[in-house]
């Protein structure tokens, strides 16, 4: 079964990794393409039409057709969805300059409780979650491929004056919440390889795209991540979990 | 023959001020005692109706103070749901002046109530503002961190307030019998556990409320000697009474006492103004028009009417000086 992987701009590193693995490590052919950027997932981008999920965002729709040859997501295909955990959208908000998660007990900062933080994450992921729910409800069995660990922000580049502790606390908790949401729906998630993170949990510089790019992994990261994705798929194949359930 | 009523203005006579007007046409019901300038730092607290007043001050460009603003990552709807932006800090509804006084005592560390954190269904609630966190806090520690921050912000409030707006809500309350901490809700009604050995019903009487209000005024003016006060009475009736009375007379008692306290304060202190939001919604000439069908919740039209009259009076300009409006009315003989 051909593995299809689509998603936001983090899919570019996955594509580079997939091409490398096909060429150098004999991986089965797969189709990996980004559909757009993370900006596109922050607005409604999908709906169910005639029992199948279609992409309503013009760019997403066009790219799905152009790169994958599909107008919708059909149950007989195996999809890896690279959406979710792009948490820089959350932690780069300048509101965090005067606030902190309550569990950090940060003196003088507006505490953001667990429940409120959960709401912030839900609001950020609302259209991604809607899309995944639509896929499940139409018989598609997707798995999710996480965005990389956060890149340690360079204030000179990003203008963010937040402490790394706050960023890490936000990112870590947001990842847990997303994983819990996926688990409740029996959707697997492939998380970034542990050895691509430094001791503080940020993406190691040699796995980051670098330069003025504040959030993406590089080709080396893409290779490491795709190895993990393929290992996940192999495990699923052994257990029969990636066999499409049409019923 | 001359008599004092002959020199009273038309607003003093029922026929010319009320009977000849529909509820939405009635004019001159409120004449501000002092001007509210755009520079005045305004803080607000009170029962649920006070939220409307606070919101309107904010929306109409007054210098409304929010010492505990919502985190900027959340939208307005979520902020409201989590108890932000309703008042000048995230204290939720404050129905009695005793509760208000105790809030500032707690903020300054002068009162540490026995009721610490309530646990219900594995979630944790602040007994003094159980509604600000929908579904409660995840842990006791979380509740305490949030409370510490909240009280720190409340402690800053009075020094930076020029006008304190308070809406009196109820005379009925529940208190801890050991330390007399007044709670905004009855324990066990929604969250918490009702223990008759620990909690008791309190129906505040005129003298108690007046004393509490004067305590608050004294306390507040120690922080800012120039502070002014705008008091109102909420037109929202009791949801239920814990007395043995019917809820209607219990409501009328409650509102009457609160209204009388406001009257007393206004007569006693020239830096206190009373705004008749209660009269504009609940009095019989309004014919119940401004209530929803359950005759309890105030309809949006009622809120709008109350706010339009208030801000219309203030926009009209200077505060009215006593005796400046002396139109002679033909109703004088009827009075």
């Amino acid at each position: 079964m051909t593995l299809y992987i689509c998603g936001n701009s983090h899919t570019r590193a996955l594509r580079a990794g997939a091409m490398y693995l096909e060429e150098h490590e004999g991986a089965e052919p797969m189709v990996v393409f980004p559909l757009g950027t993370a900006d596109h997932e922050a607005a409604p981008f999908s709906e169910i039409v005639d029992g199948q999920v279609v992409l309503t965002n013009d760019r997403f729709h066009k790219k799905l057709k152009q790169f994958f040859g599909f107008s919708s997501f059909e149950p007989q295909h195996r999809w890896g969805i690279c959406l979710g955990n792009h948490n820089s959208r959350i932690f780069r908000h300048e509101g965090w300059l005067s606030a902190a998660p309550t569990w950090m007990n940060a003196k003088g900062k507006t505490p953001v409780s667990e429940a409120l933080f959960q709401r912030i994450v839900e609001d950020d992921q609302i259209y991604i979650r809607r899309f995944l729910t639509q896929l499940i409800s139409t018989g598609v069995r997707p798995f999710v491929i996480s965005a990389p660990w956060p890149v340690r922000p360079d204030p000179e580049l990003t203008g963010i004056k937040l402490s790394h502790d706050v960023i890490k606390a936000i990112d870590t908790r947001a990842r847990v919440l997303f994983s819990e949401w996926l688990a409740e729906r029996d959707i697997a998630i492939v998380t970034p390889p542990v050895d691509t993170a430094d001791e503080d949990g940020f993406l190691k510089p040699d796995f980051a795209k670098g330069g003025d790019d504040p959030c993406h992994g590089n080709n080396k990261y893409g290779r490491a991540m795709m190895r993990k994705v393929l290992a996940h798929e192999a495990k699923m194949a052994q257990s029969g979990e990636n066999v499409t359930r049409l019923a | 023959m001359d008599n004092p009523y002959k020199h009273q203005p038309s607003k003093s006579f029922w026929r010319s001020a009320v009977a000849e007007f529909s509820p939405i046409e009635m004019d001159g019901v409120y004449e501000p005692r002092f001007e509210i300038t755009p520079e005045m730092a305004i803080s607000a607290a009170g029962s649920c109706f006070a939220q409307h007043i606070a919101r309107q001050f904010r929306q109409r460009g007054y210098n409304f103070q929010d010492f505990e603003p919502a985190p900027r990552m959340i939208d307005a709807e979520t902020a409201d749901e989590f108890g932000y932006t309703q008042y000048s800090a995230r204290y939720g509804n404050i129905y009695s002046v005793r509760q208000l006084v105790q809030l500032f005592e707690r903020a300054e560390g002068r009162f540490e109530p026995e009721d610490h954190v309530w646990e219900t269904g594995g979630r944790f609630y602040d007994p003094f503002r159980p509604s600000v966190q929908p579904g409660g806090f995840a842990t006791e520690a979380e509740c305490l961190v949030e409370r510490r921050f909240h009280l720190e912000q409340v402690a800053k409030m009075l020094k930076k307030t020029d006008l304190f707006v308070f809406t009196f809500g109820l005379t009925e309350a529940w208190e801890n019998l050991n330390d007399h901490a007044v709670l905004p809700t009855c324990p066990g009604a929604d969250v918490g556990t009702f223990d008759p050995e620990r909690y008791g019903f309190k129906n505040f009487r005129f003298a108690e409320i007046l004393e509490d209000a004067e305590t608050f005024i004294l306390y507040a003016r120690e922080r800012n000697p120039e502070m002014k006060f705008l008091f109102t009475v909420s037109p929202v009736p009791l949801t239920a009474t814990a007395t043995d009375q019917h809820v209607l007379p219990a409501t009328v008692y409650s509102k009457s006492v609160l209204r009388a306290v406001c009257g007393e304060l206004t007569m006693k202190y020239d830096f206190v103004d009373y705004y008749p939001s209660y009269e504009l919604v609940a009095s019989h000439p309004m014919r119940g028009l401004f209530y929803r069908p359950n005759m309890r919740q105030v309809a949006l039209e009622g809120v709008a009417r109350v706010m339009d009259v208030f801000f219309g009076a203030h926009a009209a300009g200077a505060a009215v000086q006593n005796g400046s409006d002396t139109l002679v009315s033909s109703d004088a003989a009827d009075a």
Side-chain angles (χ1 to χ4, degrees):
Chain A
M1 180 186 287
T2 301
L3 174 61
Y4 297 102
I5 295 174
C6 69
N8 58 24
S9 55
H10 292 295
T11 315
R12 286 197 201 104
L14 302 180
R15 173 169 165 73
M19 290 169 69
Y20 180 90
L21 297 183
E22 284 176 10
E23 191 173 334
H24 296 95
E25 298 183 11
E28 292 287 322
M30 53 197 133
V31 184
V32 184
F33 280 104
L35 296 176
T37 69
D39 288 345
H40 297 109
E41 71 198 35
F45 64 82
S46 63
E47 64 183 19
I48 297 175
V49 175
D50 294 333
Q52 291 188 340
V53 179
V54 297
L55 297 173
T56 53
N57 175 281
D58 286 346
R59 182 186 167 103
F60 276 13
H61 182 80
K62 186 178 158 193
K63 299 291 180 186
L64 185 68
K65 186 74 180 168
Q66 179 183 347
F67 295 132
F68 297 89
F70 303 136
S71 298
S72 63
F73 292 84
E74 298 181 11
Q76 66 269 28
H77 297 138
R78 178 67 171 164
W79 281 100
I81 306 295
C82 182
L83 295 174
N85 286 342
H86 179 73
N87 297 324
S88 59
R89 199 168 36 225
I90 299 173
F91 64 67
R92 279 207 195 120
H93 197 294
E94 59 184 20
W96 290 110
L97 292 170
S98 56
T102 304
W103 62 90
M104 292 190 75
N105 197 7
K107 183 92 175 144
K109 303 268 189 183
T110 300
V112 175
S113 67
E114 174 77 30
L116 189 54
F117 185 78
Q118 195 167 331
R119 184 69 64 84
I120 291 169
V121 173
E122 285 169 4
D123 287 348
D124 178 74
Q125 299 174 347
I126 184 170
Y127 304 114
I128 295 171
R129 294 183 181 199
R130 184 182 297 174
F131 172 59
L132 293 170
T133 303
Q134 290 166 342
L135 290 177
I136 293 288
S137 71
T138 54
V140 180
R141 295 272 300 161
F143 67 100
V144 167
I145 302 168
S146 170
W149 308 118
V151 172
R152 192 182 291 269
D154 180 346
E156 294 302 315
L157 290 177
T158 61
I160 300 174
K161 308 292 184 200
L162 276 181
S163 79
H164 290 169
D165 286 350
V166 174
I167 292 171
K168 197 58 204 160
I170 293 168
D171 182 69
T172 301
R173 189 66 195 135
R175 285 171 188 268
V176 169
L177 290 170
F178 187 47
S179 292
E180 287 175 353
W181 184 88
L182 293 170
E184 286 169 10
R185 286 148 188 85
D186 201 21
I187 301 173
I189 179 168
V190 180
T191 55
V194 173
D195 59 3
T196 61
D198 65 17
E199 65 278 9
D200 296 325
F202 290 98
L203 192 64
K204 285 178 179 170
D206 56 333
F207 287 101
K209 196 163 181 188
D212 59 358
D213 188 305
C215 58
H216 292 102
N218 60 16
N219 291 357
K220 185 179 176 186
Y221 172 82
R223 288 198 292 277
M225 189 61 178
M226 280 308 300
R227 284 194 189 98
K228 200 172 176 194
V229 168
L230 294 180
H232 169 266
E233 281 302 275
K235 192 175 166 189
M236 291 296 103
Q238 278 182 346
S239 64
E241 279 292 305
N242 64 347
V243 175
T244 303
R245 294 175 186 171
L246 295 171
Chain B
M1 225 171 136
D2 194 29
N3 70 64
Y5 290 101
K6 288 208 166 184
H7 303 283
Q8 285 293 85
S10 60
K11 70 175 185 182
S12 304
F13 300 91
W14 191 266
R15 192 175 76 189
S16 56
V18 178
E20 293 177 353
F21 292 95
S22 80
I24 57 170
E25 291 171 331
M26 210 176 292
D27 203 9
V29 176
Y30 170 61
E31 292 174 344
R33 195 172 200 183
F34 45 74
E35 190 181 1
I36 300 176
T37 65
E39 296 77 28
M40 287 175 88
I42 302 168
S43 298
S47 71
C48 54
F49 193 76
Q51 290 180 26
H52 299 299
I53 297 173
R55 192 174 297 124
Q56 289 290 322
F57 269 121
R58 195 190 301 265
Q59 288 176 356
R60 294 180 192 236
Y62 284 85
N63 185 17
F64 188 79
Q65 301 294 299
D66 190 347
F67 292 87
E68 197 176 1
R72 285 184 288 163
M73 298 76 75
I74 62 175
D75 59 28
E77 193 179 334
T78 305
D80 183 66
E81 186 183 345
F82 279 78
Y84 292 102
T85 69
Q86 295 172 348
Y87 303 108
S88 292
R90 196 182 171 210
Y91 29 63
N93 297 340
I94 296 176
Y95 297 103
S96 67
V97 199
R98 181 76 56 88
Q99 191 190 338
L100 181 72
V101 169
Q102 290 179 350
L103 168 68
F104 287 100
E105 289 176 346
R106 289 166 53 224
E108 293 199 345
R110 293 186 289 114
F111 182 37
E112 182 74 36
E114 183 184 274
D115 281 273
H116 193 54
V117 174
W118 285 350
E119 182 182 356
T120 301
R123 303 291 291 183
F124 298 85
Y125 297 84
D126 186 335
F128 300 95
R129 47 178 199 146
S131 64
V132 301
Q133 184 73 12
F137 292 100
T139 62
E140 181 176 344
E142 183 175 67
C143 182
L144 295 177
V145 168
E146 296 246 358
R147 178 194 292 165
R148 184 191 66 198
F149 180 80
H150 164 64
L151 292 177
E152 285 171 358
Q153 309 321 305
V154 171
K156 300 172 186 169
M157 186 181 299
L158 295 179
K159 273 185 188 169
K160 297 179 179 176
T161 296
D162 300 316
L163 174 68
F164 195 90
V165 183
F166 184 73
T167 299
F168 289 73
L170 304 172
T171 56
E172 296 191 18
W174 291 86
E175 65 173 359
N176 183 306
L177 295 171
N178 298 321
D179 60 10
H180 302 287
V182 173
L183 301 158
T185 59
C186 177
D190 188 15
V191 295
T193 305
F194 186 74
D195 176 359
E197 300 294 316
R198 187 172 180 184
Y199 301 108
F201 174 63
K202 175 87 179 165
N203 199 5
F204 287 107
R205 300 174 70 165
F206 176 88
E208 292 173 306
I209 299 168
L210 181 63
E211 184 181 343
D212 286 339
E214 292 191 296
T215 299
F216 175 71
I217 288 170
L218 183 66
Y219 177 83
R221 284 174 71 90
E222 281 173 1
R223 272 82 189 151
N224 177 4
E226 300 301 315
M227 194 183 300
K228 292 181 168 65
F229 300 85
L230 176 67
F231 293 140
T232 67
V233 174
S234 167
V236 180
L238 278 67
T239 302
T241 179
T243 66
D244 56 4
Q245 296 179 57
H246 186 284
V247 70
L248 179 59
T251 293
V252 172
Y253 166 80
S254 196
K255 301 298 179 183
S256 302
V257 167
L258 296 175
R259 177 63 186 89
V261 169
C262 288
E264 180 68 16
L265 292 168
T266 310
M267 284 188 273
K268 192 167 179 180
Y269 303 108
D270 63 4
F271 51 80
V272 172
D273 196 6
Y274 170 74
Y275 177 65
S277 54
Y278 177 78
E279 289 87 332
L280 282 166
V281 174
S283 65
H284 71 271
M286 303 304 155
R287 304 173 177 93
L289 280 175
F290 298 128
Y291 285 105
R292 291 186 184 173
N294 65 6
M295 296 305 284
R296 181 175 180 275
Q297 291 167 298
V298 179
L300 288 177
E301 293 80 1
V303 174
R305 168 72 175 152
V306 168
M307 296 306 150
D308 286 348
V309 170
F310 179 80
F311 288 103
H314 278 282
V320 170
Q321 304 299 311
N322 284 341
S324 62
D325 183 5
T326 53
L327 291 173
V328 177
S329 168
S330 59
D331 274 354
D334 295 335

